Amino acid sequence: NTLELNMERTPDVLATVAARAAQHVRLGWLSDAKYGPPNDELRVRNGYVLSMNAKTKVLNWASWETTKEDYAPDAPRSNNWRSDPTLGDPAKLASVDDYRGAGLEYHRGHMVRSGERAANKRENEKTFVLSNAVPQSKNNNVGSWNGLEEWVHTQANQGFRVYNQAGPVFSGPVKVLGK
């Protein structure tokens, strides 16, 4: 479940948001994300927390925990990439087509890895929303980023709880997906 934007912002609701987020941000907050501002909007999911940026159509950061129980050997991947229906205005959302065109071919790089949510089919499907993706060059996504994901997998399989925090690093002028 995702806490929706149109929920009444009562103290009880905000306390629920904070309690659900706390389990995923044990290393601390990566920004001053709040429940509502458009370029640093906190989204609390069952398996992770992220901050969305409406201007770039890309997350600012994600934070989550990975354990051995999150993996399942030979589990099928969803591969059903789609816009995140919980974010509101479709014109402000990343789309699959945003990752094509203008001579720029980006990989949709998971922040919360699909394989880290393979033990539960529904949770795996939720990793294929574009709010959980960052445009990455192929060399980065299948190279060093994949190496880091494999390291996390190894640590989790050895019984460690791995606390992850990740997000994009933009160099040069920041481009908006789809433009």
Side-chain angles (χ1 to χ4, degrees):
N1 295 346
T2 300
L3 294 175
E4 298 294 334
L5 288 176
N6 60 0
M7 291 176 66
E8 188 177 347
R9 289 172 173 84
T10 65
D12 289 343
V13 168
L14 295 176
T16 300
V17 170
R20 285 189 55 196
Q23 67 182 325
H24 304 296
V25 291
R26 293 180 190 230
L27 298 175
W29 293 95
L30 293 169
S31 69
D32 291 329
K34 304 278 189 287
Y35 187 55
N39 294 325
D40 196 8
E41 181 181 314
L42 181 67
R43 305 299 292 180
V44 181
R45 309 286 165 106
N46 282 341
Y48 57 99
V49 172
L50 59 84
S51 164
M52 279 303 300
N53 189 315
K55 181 178 178 182
T56 62
K57 299 184 184 182
V58 174
L59 60 83
N60 293 310
W61 55 265
S63 186
W64 69 102
E65 178 184 4
T66 305
T67 66
K68 186 176 187 175
E69 291 74 29
D70 293 321
Y71 294 92
D74 303 317
R77 282 173 56 103
S78 167
N79 278 332
N80 180 24
W81 284 104
R82 62 208 177 279
S83 294
D84 188 334
T86 70
L87 293 179
D89 183 359
K92 296 180 180 177
L93 303 177
S95 72
V96 173
D97 288 339
D98 287 336
Y99 283 81
R100 299 186 195 106
L104 303 173
E105 292 292 330
Y106 294 111
H107 272 213
R108 296 174 296 260
H110 281 93
M111 286 293 97
V112 179
R113 186 182 191 193
S114 164
E116 292 175 19
R117 297 295 178 256
N120 180 305
K121 181 181 178 187
R122 184 164 165 75
E123 292 305 313
N124 180 263
E125 289 171 352
K126 289 178 185 179
T127 68
F128 285 89
V129 290
L130 292 171
S131 60
N132 182 44
V134 171
Q136 294 184 31
S137 71
K138 177 182 178 182
N139 289 341
N140 185 66
N141 197 29
V142 301
S144 57
W145 186 252
N146 186 61
L148 178 61
E149 290 175 329
E150 289 299 321
W151 181 85
V152 167
H153 188 183
T154 298
Q155 300 308 305
N157 276 339
Q158 292 176 2
F160 293 99
R161 290 183 172 284
V162 183
Y163 297 99
N164 307 272
Q165 292 185 320
V169 175
F170 296 105
S171 61
V174 175
K175 297 178 183 176
V176 176
L177 280 172
K179 293 186 177 184

